[in-house]
Amino acid sequence: MELSYKKYGEGKPFIILHGLFGSSDNWHSHGKKLAEYFEVYLVDQRNHGDSDWSDEFNYDIMAEDLHEFVQKHGLDDFILMGHSMGGKTAMRYAQLYPEGIDKLISVDMGVKEYPITHDRIIEGLKSLDLKTITSRSEAGKQLSNYIGSTAVRQFLLKNLNREEQNTFSWKINLKVLEEKLPEVVKALPEKETMIETLFISGGKSDYVVPEDHNNIKKYFPLARFHSIERAGHWIHAEAPEEFMEEVLGFSLL
């Protein structure tokens, strides 16, 4: 599948993958900053952003999408970073195609299986009648019945696409994402991959906790870990300066 992307800067390639319900737009500010040092590619994964939709959706398939992207653009010796679901796509890609990666960064995502916790979000998004809603603020008000966090609602509502008739449509393939949530939370296959890898976690998040480190090292023996204590799962949005400092410190070594 051909993936939509945005490209900034020049130099060593640096690929960024967003998380579930996200898109390349979530990484615009960080992409611009990283473009001072790298040739940055912000990629929309399938069923997200401006990339095509498909009924097929799992980490092996998304890793193959990325492999096609890498080959098409002739990328080599690149840094690969992914957040949440994008982190697992990046790790799976590294397991399958380690030879092209210089360094790997996983943002608040480990290798284990996770419980399904996004069903309330799906329920809230499905509750919106896109044929009658006339503004994002109206959609946000309705979504507040399901999702208390203003920041999370704003993040989700970036997936609304305004149509010419002043109605809205989804940029995300909501039906398939709901059906494939069990695939999204699956553990990675256990396979040792010798790539220098940084796991950045949020201190207020339980996605990667110290008890996970030994298991992660079975998959990525060269892993190092850094926790940003004041951040939750959306580390790059909640603590952008500390996050960028850690990413650059690792990437420019």
Side-chain angles (χ1 to χ4, degrees), residues 30 56 85 87-88 123 158 165 170 184 190 209 241:
H30 289 301
E56 296 182 293
M85 180 189 78
K88 233 171 204 178
E123 186 181 356
K158 287 183 179 180
Q165 296 79 16
W170 288 116
V184 174
E190 188 168 337
V209 294
E241 292 181 1

Side-chain angles (χ1 to χ4, degrees), residues 66-100:
L66 182 58
H67 185 54
E68 288 179 24
F69 182 88
V70 165
Q71 289 184 310
K72 177 181 178 180
H73 294 276
L75 305 181
D76 190 33
D77 193 35
F78 54 88
I79 298 169
L80 178 59
M81 178 168 73
H83 171 243
S84 196
M85 180 189 78
K88 233 171 204 178
T89 301
M91 288 186 277
R92 185 60 181 142
Y93 179 88
Q95 290 182 321
L96 295 170
Y97 302 104
E99 60 280 352

Side-chain angles (χ1 to χ4, degrees), residues 69-213:
F69 182 88
V70 165
Q71 289 184 310
K72 177 181 178 180
H73 294 276
L75 305 181
D76 190 33
D77 193 35
F78 54 88
I79 298 169
L80 178 59
M81 178 168 73
H83 171 243
S84 196
M85 180 189 78
K88 233 171 204 178
T89 301
M91 288 186 277
R92 185 60 181 142
Y93 179 88
Q95 290 182 321
L96 295 170
Y97 302 104
E99 60 280 352
I101 303 176
D102 177 32
K103 293 180 180 178
L104 178 66
I105 304 172
S106 178
V107 183
D108 214 49
M109 177 52 63
V111 299
K112 64 187 180 184
E113 182 168 348
Y114 289 88
I116 293 177
T117 58
H118 296 91
D119 43 356
R120 185 65 173 171
I121 288 177
I122 293 280
E123 186 181 356
L125 295 178
K126 286 174 64 179
S127 75
L128 300 180
D129 185 353
L130 302 190
K131 294 180 180 179
T132 61
I133 289 171
T134 59
S135 67
R136 279 186 172 82
S137 60
E138 182 183 350
K141 185 177 180 180
Q142 292 186 25
L143 199 56
S144 67
N145 295 321
Y146 295 83
I147 299 163
S149 168
T150 300
V152 173
R153 290 198 303 272
Q154 290 175 342
F155 162 75
L156 293 168
L157 291 173
K158 287 183 179 180
N159 289 300
L160 282 177
N161 184 51
R162 188 183 290 275
E163 303 289 351
E164 291 181 1
Q165 296 79 16
N166 204 33
T167 58
F168 289 92
S169 62
W170 288 116
K171 290 185 176 182
I172 50 173
N173 190 342
L174 193 55
K175 177 179 179 291
V176 168
L177 296 185
E178 179 181 23
E179 292 173 353
K180 299 297 186 180
L181 275 180
E183 293 290 338
V184 174
V185 300
K186 271 187 177 180
L188 286 177
E190 188 168 337
K191 180 181 180 182
E192 185 178 85
T193 304
M194 300 300 290
I195 294 175
E196 195 175 355
T197 306
L198 173 64
F199 288 82
I200 305 178
S201 60
K204 296 180 180 179
S205 169
D206 59 0
Y207 274 76
V208 180
V209 294
E211 292 76 17
D212 295 326
H213 292 183

